[in-house]
Amino acid sequence: MGPDHWPLIKNALEAHGNVKETKIFTPPGNTNSKRWKQAVDSVGGEYVFVPRYTVGNKGPNDIAIAAHAALAGRRGMTVAMGVADGDFASLADILVKEGIDVIAVLNSGGRAGVARAFSNLEVPVLSISLPNRFKEARGARWKWVMQCNGSCVKQPLDDVLEDQSFDEDALRTKLLEAGYLESASDPVVPAVVKALLVHSKAPFVMWPWSMTVQHGIKLFAQRARLKQNNGKYIIVFPNLVSGFTKAQAEEYGTSSCAYFFRGGAPFVLQDTSTDDVIREFLVGLKYYNPECDEDLDEAIITFASMGLNKRTLVYLGLGFLPNLPPHAARACLHTALVSPKSNGIWKVGPRDEGVAEFLEARGFLWNANAQVATVHTALGKFLAARGLRHIPKNFSARLLALRRHLQAPTPNQRLELEE
């Protein structure tokens, strides 16, 4: 965690017991930062300089932390780790098995899976939260705004962002009482969005999330109670978790902004029949194209195979979805969509940029500006010509098959990349 977290970490630990040593692990260069120096002085900490060797490619900080933690534990001290990475749970596991007491100090706004990894080991977890509610918005150039007609529009983020103190716990209590949350640890943003929709409070900011929460706190502060959750709404934040160019970084301002805007606009579904909701959801995330696709179940499997989606399903206890028969898989996906434990972030389907030009250059398509149904057919012929035994029915699945074909380490396929 960065220097903004250090005073919060120490305060949390001092409320828990006596802090004997405070160590900051860093490469030497960071000590020149005035911000770092002030933070170190404020906690009475000492630097542990961790050099970067050109011959290594692993995390030297992590290795140094593990070594110092083991040494401190051997001296009879409790080891407290202020970290944001679930990998440190394996270190905690080793220390605990050696009879060393461990405490994890985690950011309350971090990934839920990190806290769960420590809790599963019965390691005490202390939560801290930065007072700056607008950290994710700093530097971002755009915001998503939900309109009264239910669509989201992209607008410049030119709001004045003032650090303020909000009673988020009071908001969570109201959301729990009205059925928008099932537990206090559920993601608050989808619940706030649902409450804003139920109370007809559009337009409102859908991203950055800190502004969404602020909007909800301001609007609901004067209400003793909220209207009950009608269970109608499913909130979806399309996400493109992949690299981007320098020009794109300049366009969006921050990586977080790029991820949430390149994936497409957030959208809201109304929970009607299972099949209708799933079809609309998969169309919105570009896993199912009504112009050329006919197999909804194949689209579900393609969706569930993508890294972010797979991890989210596992977190929700639904990682077995790909092994289910079609009817059960649809019901399973519907459960994931309506779960209050989901933050609504899902990875969009494989991109088709450059595919038509790729097929045209190899003689499988006459015109790179062809309709998607024509490109879909040409892509199937290309995959068949390359010896793929099972040709997927849907466009997104064929795009995924093409990507895997081009990335496969065989001489013939490498030639395709070099042409």
Side-chain angles (χ1 to χ4, degrees), residues 130-180:
L130 284 176
N132 180 2
R133 301 282 179 171
F134 301 105
K135 187 174 181 181
E136 65 179 332
R138 302 286 184 198
R141 297 188 175 177
W142 301 97
K143 62 184 177 182
W144 285 119
V145 178
M146 172 63 69
Q147 302 296 294
C148 296
N149 63 4
S151 66
C152 271
V153 297
K154 176 181 175 182
Q155 294 183 1
L157 180 53
D158 50 12
D159 306 62
V160 176
L161 304 174
E162 298 178 355
D163 295 339
Q164 301 177 39
S165 230
F166 296 116
D167 191 354
E168 188 174 317
D169 289 338
L171 176 64
R172 283 184 178 273
T173 299
K174 290 181 181 180
L175 293 170
L176 276 164
E177 290 173 349
Y180 295 96

Side-chain angles (χ1 to χ4, degrees), residues 31-51:
T31 59
N32 298 325
S33 166
K34 182 179 178 181
R35 176 166 163 255
W36 276 59
K37 187 178 185 308
Q38 289 176 340
V40 170
D41 291 343
S42 72
V43 297
E46 62 174 297
Y47 282 121
V48 176
F49 298 119
V50 185

